[in-house]
Amino acid sequence: MQPIASRWVQPGQDRWLTGPAGRSAAPWRLLCIPHAGGGASAYRPWEALTGPDVELLVAQLPGRESRFPEPALDRVAPVVEGLAAALGRLAPKPTLIFGHSMGAMIGYELAARLVREASPHAPQTLIVSGRTAPGSTSTLGDLLGLDDAGFADALAARYDGIPAALLADRELMAVFLPTLRADFRMVADYRPDPTGCPRLPCPILALGGADDIHAAPERLTAWRDFTAAGFTCEIFPGGHFYLAADPARVVARVLAARTTAG
């Protein structure tokens, strides 16, 4: 019998973060940052897989789900600003930051900012998923010049995580396209913050799919150069959205980072 999902709340009524109610006293915090176009609901299955000893928080960015009326942001800096401020309003505790695809990019910049500011919220471990290291060449700019129909078709051809029903419904797709375009512009224009922390003092765990053409396993190892602590890379079966196929295995590996974090 599947456990009944609890109500998700915004800690302190903060619109940037959401997660299962009743876990504020948990000794560990896991902050998850979704992929381009994704909302906090992408991590709903993780609620039953993390347990009461982990405060699961998920970033809710503007332009999706509960923040759909807000215009999506197309630069990394204001996203990091919003998330850093939201964390600053919470009591500090040992934290893991997990980001998938665009979320990994944001997670790295957030970790670098927290370290630079000597924040008590700086992560014990940064976990990057399905994303090459900062400085990698992006080809997403080619998509941004396409009209809506061409942009939607290109997304369908390149990525396997967009629901077929959404792609088939052009009117519905048109509603989500501004957010998707803003996210892809953020990724295409991203350059590491030169005032950041190029080598984090925490370990980095890089995860990816064996068949991911956007973040091939051999390219994930470049994250090694962004930590002054330990680096580990682990590959799972599947493509870019490998984590949806076997979330239990992925979450178990993420939570195991608590032991290596000390």
Side-chain angles (χ1 to χ4, degrees):
M1 182 177 179
Q2 293 293 324
I4 299 175
S6 70
R7 182 171 59 95
W8 277 35
V9 299
Q10 297 167 286
Q13 300 302 306
D14 198 310
R15 68 187 189 279
W16 282 94
L17 300 171
T18 186
R23 295 196 187 180
S24 60
W28 277 86
R29 175 175 290 142
L30 171 59
L31 171 62
C32 297
I33 308 174
H35 56 278
S41 63
Y43 290 90
R44 279 273 183 174
W46 289 35
E47 175 183 352
L49 300 171
T50 47
D53 63 332
V54 175
E55 182 187 20
L56 175 63
L57 294 180
V58 184
Q60 187 73 284
L61 306 187
R64 64 216 78 203
E65 297 182 356
S66 62
R67 302 186 68 184
F68 184 77
E70 302 175 48
L73 300 171
D74 62 3
R75 293 184 298 117
V76 176
V79 175
V80 169
E81 172 71 28
L83 291 175
L87 284 174
R89 291 186 279 271
L90 302 177
K93 66 178 65 176
T95 298
L96 306 175
I97 293 179
F98 174 92
H100 178 65
S101 197
M102 181 186 79
M105 175 187 78
I106 295 170
Y108 167 73
E109 288 294 341
L110 175 61
R113 175 184 174 130
L114 295 173
V115 167
R116 184 174 69 247
E117 296 178 348
S119 168
H121 297 279
Q124 304 293 302
T125 297
L126 171 65
I127 305 158
V128 293
S129 168
R131 168 76 189 182
T132 54
S136 301
T137 302
S138 173
T139 60
L140 296 182
D142 299 341
L143 276 66
L144 296 175
L146 300 174
D147 61 20
D148 286 354
F151 184 71
D153 289 340
L155 291 182
R158 293 194 186 194
Y159 296 95
D160 56 358
I162 301 175
L166 176 58
L167 289 169
D169 190 332
R170 293 296 172 150
E171 290 186 4
L172 183 60
M173 188 70 179
V175 173
F176 290 96
L177 279 177
T179 294
L180 284 166
R181 283 189 180 275
D183 285 354
F184 275 67
R185 186 173 298 108
M186 183 192 303
V187 175
D189 294 345
Y190 168 65
R191 301 293 182 273
D193 185 344
T195 67
C197 178
R199 283 186 174 266
L200 298 175
C202 67
I204 291 179
L205 169 62
L207 306 179
D211 303 318
D212 187 352
I213 62 174
H214 307 287
E218 63 272 15
R219 298 180 67 193
L220 291 174
T221 58
W223 281 103
R224 186 188 307 274
D225 297 333
F226 290 81
T227 173
F231 173 78
T232 307
C233 182
E234 186 162 332
I235 304 302
F236 294 80
H240 190 61
F241 288 96
Y242 72 92
L243 63 172
D246 191 357
R249 183 180 171 191
V250 175
V251 171
R253 183 62 188 91
V254 167
L255 295 182
R258 291 178 293 178
T259 59
T260 58

